[in-house]
Amino acid sequence: MMLLIPAIIILAAVVGIYMMQAVPRKQLWFGVTLPADAIQDEQFKQLRKEYITLYVVYTLIAAAALFPFYWMQQSASLAFVYFIVWSLSMFFLSPAPYRHIHFKAIAIKRAENWFGKQKATIEIEKQLEQLASKRPLPPYWFVLPLIIALPLLYLAANSELPLVRWSGIASLVMTGILFLLNLAFTRDRVGLYSRNPLANMAIHQAARQYWSILWLCMAIFEAINAYVAYFVLSEGTSIGSTLWMCGIFIVSLVPLLSIYYTYHRIRTLEYRYAHTNGKTDTIDEDHYWGTGLVYNNPNDKKVMVPKRIGAGSTVNIATTGGKFVYTGAYALVLAIVIPIAVMIIRADSIAPELTVNEAGTVHITDTTYSFTFETSDIEEVLLEEKMPSGFRVNGIATSEYARGNFKLNELGNAKLYVFKHSSPYIVIKLKDLYVIYNELEPDKTKQVFNELVKHLEK
């Protein structure tokens, strides 16, 4: 629920923002500036109906994608990673219906010649020539994922587990499949994108290069992913089949989003250049807004400008300051999300361990909140069936476990290393601090308690 609630809020906010674009605002509709009489045009009324339908369908699909949270109650790390992937999917896919209608609106505007006073003609021939000069990556680049996969093939071949042995073979098979896809998508036969030969060749060559980069990156990703599967299987994990399916689904989203991103880049080029004569293009202020979402105007020195969608301001990525803010925002998100994800995944996969050495030193090993004290500092140690209530100060608290620093209602300051649904709990009283610990299996908790008691009796 801690992840489901913010997911629902994100979905409601994103859909709400885009649904507001179904209504024209100050002669701006779907990110396109229009003359006053064009607002009543029947073509745009039809676009509005299509736009609303697309976002209703999108909302239903995005909401349905929240159901896997129900099957992830056993794993906080898996649920957190899924939440991140779901949020990124929302970020990448939520503008898709808007872009689709935006490009249709631009096409209508061009056909009707609804350009304002800022209408201008720009040269595009050099841009098309640069795109036409692009080439796909040479096929021999696929040696790289092959080199990555070969050591795994050797490691897996020496395993006694059949499923582990197949992980190495699967890596090679995936490299071969992606290599064949690369050949299929980068063939020399020119596709039909535009009636203009130069524009058509430019889009075709750019598409070949984009697809070749995609398939190579996916081959490397799958080769690395095979190593992860090998080590997880080799360790004899007890993860259930449902969690395995959820994990496979999460990993599968990465290639799917990558394919969508590549397809979108090609479609953007098609919408941008396919209608032109190959030499010039007619533009107005809409040109600098791309799809109405990102502002890129090298002639405007302002770093921040009012948004066309939603409230507030956005950056002009054509300026140095805008580029810094734009890339810095992504870097900041990654700097926050990645350490949290690593911390939760480690905490979810490695349980704390309490040991007592001959000198009477108690050491609780944990991925983040390890703690050491002496048996001589223990004032009292009890084995309790009920866990005291309280709240987290600095630590990790999921539906399954709690680790770190907590403030307990009955006891005060405490360090917790507990599985919430696996009583009993060892309650250790120190000066001004309680330490509460247990194992996932009750019998092991009792063994640790008896060992502590023996050291106290010495």
Side-chain angles (χ1 to χ4, degrees):
M1 290 300 295
M2 291 297 293
L3 293 174
L4 185 60
I5 291 172
I8 293 173
I9 294 173
I10 290 172
L11 177 59
V14 169
V15 173
I17 289 172
Y18 281 106
M19 287 297 283
M20 289 174 63
Q21 309 313 309
V23 179
R25 181 170 57 90
K26 296 180 181 180
Q27 296 180 231
L28 183 69
W29 207 356
F30 306 126
V32 179
T33 52
L34 302 166
D37 57 340
I39 300 296
Q40 302 302 322
D41 188 87
E42 187 62 30
Q43 297 176 87
F44 274 87
K45 291 181 180 179
Q46 291 299 320
L47 280 186
R48 181 178 184 273
K49 292 179 181 178
E50 183 180 353
Y51 182 82
I52 292 173
T53 301
L54 286 173
Y55 268 105
V56 169
V57 173
Y58 171 82
T59 303
L60 293 175
I61 294 173
L66 294 176
F67 279 96
F69 276 116
Y70 175 80
W71 291 284
M72 296 182 186
Q73 299 178 59
Q74 303 174 44
S75 174
S77 61
L78 187 60
F80 181 79
V81 171
Y82 184 81
F83 174 77
I84 296 300
V85 174
W86 182 89
S87 300
L88 289 175
S89 302
M90 284 285 296
F91 176 79
F92 282 110
L93 300 179
S94 60
Y98 174 84
R99 291 193 188 105
H100 177 71
I101 299 300
H102 169 82
F103 288 131
K104 283 192 172 186
I106 285 287
I108 295 172
K109 178 177 178 176
R110 292 185 184 281
E112 300 292 343
N113 198 27
W114 284 333
F115 291 95
K117 296 180 180 179
Q118 297 183 7
K119 175 181 176 180
T121 300
I122 60 171
E123 300 287 336
I124 62 169
E125 189 171 9
K126 289 185 177 179
Q127 299 174 26
L128 291 175
E129 288 175 351
Q130 289 176 354
L131 289 172
S133 66
K134 290 181 178 293
R135 296 291 182 271
L137 296 179
Y140 61 73
W141 275 90
F142 275 81
V143 172
L144 181 58
L146 184 63
I147 292 173
I148 296 174
L150 285 177
L152 177 62
L153 186 66
Y154 173 76
L155 291 172
N158 294 321
S159 174
E160 297 179 357
L161 302 173
L163 193 59
V164 174
R165 288 199 296 269
W166 274 103
S167 64
I169 299 173
S171 179
L172 288 179
V173 170
M174 284 302 301
T175 299
I177 291 173
L178 291 167
F179 176 74
L180 293 176
L181 284 171
N182 174 68
L183 294 179
F185 275 74
T186 58
R187 62 188 183 276
D188 292 330
R189 186 169 64 84
V190 180
L192 180 60
Y193 299 98
S194 171
R195 295 184 182 277
N196 180 271
L198 179 57
N200 193 70
M201 181 57 68
I203 299 169
H204 172 72
Q205 289 297 99
R208 293 178 70 204
Q209 186 182 86
Y210 296 162
W211 285 120
S212 68
I213 294 173
L214 169 72
W215 300 125
L216 177 62
C217 290
M218 283 183 58
I220 294 172
F221 173 80
E222 293 297 342
I224 296 173
N225 189 44
Y227 276 91
V228 176
Y230 166 79
F231 286 113
V232 170
L233 292 170
S234 297
E235 291 177 2
T237 178
S238 59
I239 294 177
S241 59
T242 301
L243 292 182
W244 266 114
M245 292 301 296
C246 292
I248 292 170
F249 175 69
I250 290 173
V251 172
S252 300
L253 279 178
V254 175
L256 289 175
L257 290 175
S258 301
I259 292 172
Y260 166 76
Y261 174 74
T262 303
Y263 172 78
H264 168 66
R265 289 186 69 186
I266 297 169
R267 290 290 287 172
T268 300
L269 289 178
E270 186 176 353
Y271 284 120
R272 173 71 182 83
Y273 296 109
H275 67 278
T276 66
N277 59 16
K279 294 183 178 181
T280 61
D281 190 19
T282 302
I283 66 166
D284 60 7
E285 62 270 27
D286 293 345
H287 172 75
Y288 300 109
W289 278 95
T291 58
L293 301 171
V294 179
Y295 187 60
N296 186 356
N297 186 357
N299 301 318
D300 189 349
K301 301 304 179 184
K302 289 183 291 187
V303 176
M304 305 298 296
V305 296
K307 286 183 177 180
R308 280 194 166 187
I309 292 182
S313 300
T314 187
V315 297
N316 178 7
I317 61 173
T319 63
T320 302
K323 291 175 182 176
F324 177 79
V325 173
Y326 193 73
T327 56
Y330 285 101
L332 180 61
V333 171
L334 292 176
I336 295 173
V337 170
I338 291 177
I340 293 176
V342 171
M343 180 179 69
I344 293 178
I345 291 172
R346 291 183 66 210
D348 220 28
S349 57
I350 304 174
E353 182 181 8
L354 188 151
T355 58
V356 187
N357 62 22
E358 292 299 324
T361 300
V362 181
H363 186 65
I364 301 177
T365 304
D366 185 55
T367 55
T368 307
Y369 301 96
S370 296
F371 186 57
T372 300
F373 56 95
E374 302 297 327
T375 52
S376 57
D377 297 328
I378 298 176
E379 297 181 0
E380 187 179 20
V381 57
L382 301 171
L383 194 63
E384 301 286 353
E385 291 295 326
K386 185 178 179 181
M387 179 70 201
S389 60
F391 59 91
R392 178 176 59 88
V393 176
N394 179 23
I396 302 174
T398 73
S399 60
E400 299 298 318
Y401 58 82
R403 293 166 195 165
N405 301 310
F406 287 73
K407 188 81 170 180
L408 302 181
N409 297 329
E410 298 90 342
L411 304 178
N413 295 329
K415 285 187 175 293
L416 268 57
Y417 307 89
V418 300
F419 293 94
K420 292 182 178 180
H421 309 296
S422 299
S423 60
Y425 307 92
I426 302 172
V427 180
I428 304 169
K429 182 181 179 182
L430 305 176
K431 184 180 180 181
D432 301 323
L433 180 70
Y434 282 86
V435 177
I436 304 179
Y437 176 92
N438 74 337
E439 298 276 350
L440 184 59
E441 299 177 13
D443 290 341
K444 290 185 177 180
T445 301
K446 293 175 182 178
Q447 290 176 8
V448 173
F449 174 77
N450 292 332
E451 185 178 352
L452 271 175
V453 172
K454 287 180 180 178
H455 279 84
L456 289 174
E457 291 175 348
K458 289 182 178 179

